[in-house]
């Protein structure tokens, strides 16, 4: 089962390594990991997709809170959320196939972001299935290169995730105990 965790961390060197190493040491397989700036200065947000069950997700969450740079962990697997992947696909496009490739991009609501005499670069954003679908229909034309982001996700609703279940400690705030989470190593 793919579990999606939204993790707020301090934007400091080594934060990504510590989180990824912790998950690796616990023998969980990271399916996807995307990191970027958040709405708060000096705080990055990671979207981590891990292959585990609900118990494994709770253990990962509890262990992540042991890391000093981790501010908040939220399991949004079953929460109403927006989930997206992005991909750039360079596909061969001859004079004869170019219009077909452009039409396929339009069907998937993708954008042509680069045109060369013998290729096109298509940008697509959407669910993992949508991105997979476009890549599969482009394969017969010749996918020359492909790069994908990891999954990014955000919970629906007005409450920011950082305040949804109470952050452990955001910059400038006093530490808050997280009830109901026990840790074992």
């Amino acid at each position: 089962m793919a579990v999606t965790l939204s993790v707020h961390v301090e934007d400091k060197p080594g934060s990504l390594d510590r989180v990824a190493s912790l998950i690796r040491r616990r023998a969980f397989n990271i399916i996807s990991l995307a990191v970027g700036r958040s709405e708060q200065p000096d705080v990055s947000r990671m979207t981590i997709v891990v292959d585990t069950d609900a118990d494994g997700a709770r253990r990962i969450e509890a262990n992540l809170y042991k890391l000093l740079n981790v501010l908040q962990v939220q399991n949004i697997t079953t929460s109403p959320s927006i989930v997206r992947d992005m991909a750039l696909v360079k596909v061969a496009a001859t004079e004869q196939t170019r219009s077909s490739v452009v039409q396929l991009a339009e069907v998937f609501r993708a954008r042509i972001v680069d045109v060369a005499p013998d290729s096109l670069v298509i940008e697509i954003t959407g669910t993992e299935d949508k991105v997979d679908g476009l890549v599969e229909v482009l394969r017969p034309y010749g996918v020359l290169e492909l790069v994908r982001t990891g999954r990014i996700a955000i919970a629906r609703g007005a409450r920011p995730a950082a305040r949804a279940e109470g952050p452990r400690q955001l910059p400038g705030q006093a530490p808050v105990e997280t009830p109901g989470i026990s840790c074992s190593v």
Side-chain angles (χ1 to χ4, degrees), residues 35-98:
V35 184
R37 294 183 182 146
S38 73
E39 71 284 357
Q40 302 169 24
D42 302 323
V43 176
S44 294
R45 183 181 185 136
M46 298 180 180
T47 304
I48 306 170
V49 182
V50 181
D51 184 19
T52 187
D53 56 13
D55 184 53
R58 280 191 294 275
R59 285 189 289 143
I60 291 171
E61 183 177 352
N63 281 290
L64 285 173
Y65 274 118
K66 292 179 181 177
L67 298 177
L68 292 177
N69 296 116
V70 173
L71 304 172
Q72 180 178 12
V73 181
Q74 185 181 25
N75 183 344
I76 59 172
T77 305
T78 58
S79 303
S81 56
I82 308 295
V83 178
R84 295 289 185 264
D85 281 22
M86 181 190 157
L88 295 173
V89 185
K90 185 183 292 181
V91 60
T94 63
E95 199 172 293
Q96 293 79 27
T97 61
R98 185 174 303 269

Side-chain angles (χ1 to χ4, degrees), residues 37-176:
R37 294 183 182 146
S38 73
E39 71 284 357
Q40 302 169 24
D42 302 323
V43 176
S44 294
R45 183 181 185 136
M46 298 180 180
T47 304
I48 306 170
V49 182
V50 181
D51 184 19
T52 187
D53 56 13
D55 184 53
R58 280 191 294 275
R59 285 189 289 143
I60 291 171
E61 183 177 352
N63 281 290
L64 285 173
Y65 274 118
K66 292 179 181 177
L67 298 177
L68 292 177
N69 296 116
V70 173
L71 304 172
Q72 180 178 12
V73 181
Q74 185 181 25
N75 183 344
I76 59 172
T77 305
T78 58
S79 303
S81 56
I82 308 295
V83 178
R84 295 289 185 264
D85 281 22
M86 181 190 157
L88 295 173
V89 185
K90 185 183 292 181
V91 60
T94 63
E95 199 172 293
Q96 293 79 27
T97 61
R98 185 174 303 269
S99 63
S100 297
V101 171
V102 170
Q103 287 176 343
L104 286 172
E106 289 172 0
V107 167
F108 282 85
R109 296 183 183 166
R111 297 181 332 141
I112 308 295
V113 293
D114 186 60
V115 177
D118 55 354
S119 67
L120 298 170
V121 176
I122 300 171
E123 173 190 299
I124 183 168
T125 303
T127 64
E128 188 175 347
D129 290 341
K130 179 180 175 182
V131 175
D132 289 342
L134 176 64
V135 171
E136 287 308 311
V137 298
L138 291 176
R139 282 201 193 282
Y141 295 95
V143 174
L144 304 172
E145 290 183 60
L146 170 69
V147 60
R148 291 180 74 153
T149 65
R151 182 184 298 176
I152 59 170
I154 191 166
R156 289 182 181 263
R159 282 180 24 177
R163 295 178 195 102
E165 298 190 17
R168 183 174 73 172
Q169 181 181 5
L170 293 174
Q173 292 183 342
V176 176

Side-chain angles (χ1 to χ4, degrees), residues 22-43:
L22 181 142
I23 295 171
R24 177 191 49 80
R25 283 193 312 266
R26 302 298 188 268
F28 292 103
N29 183 35
I30 296 175
I31 297 171
S32 168
L33 186 131
V35 184
R37 294 183 182 146
S38 73
E39 71 284 357
Q40 302 169 24
D42 302 323
V43 176

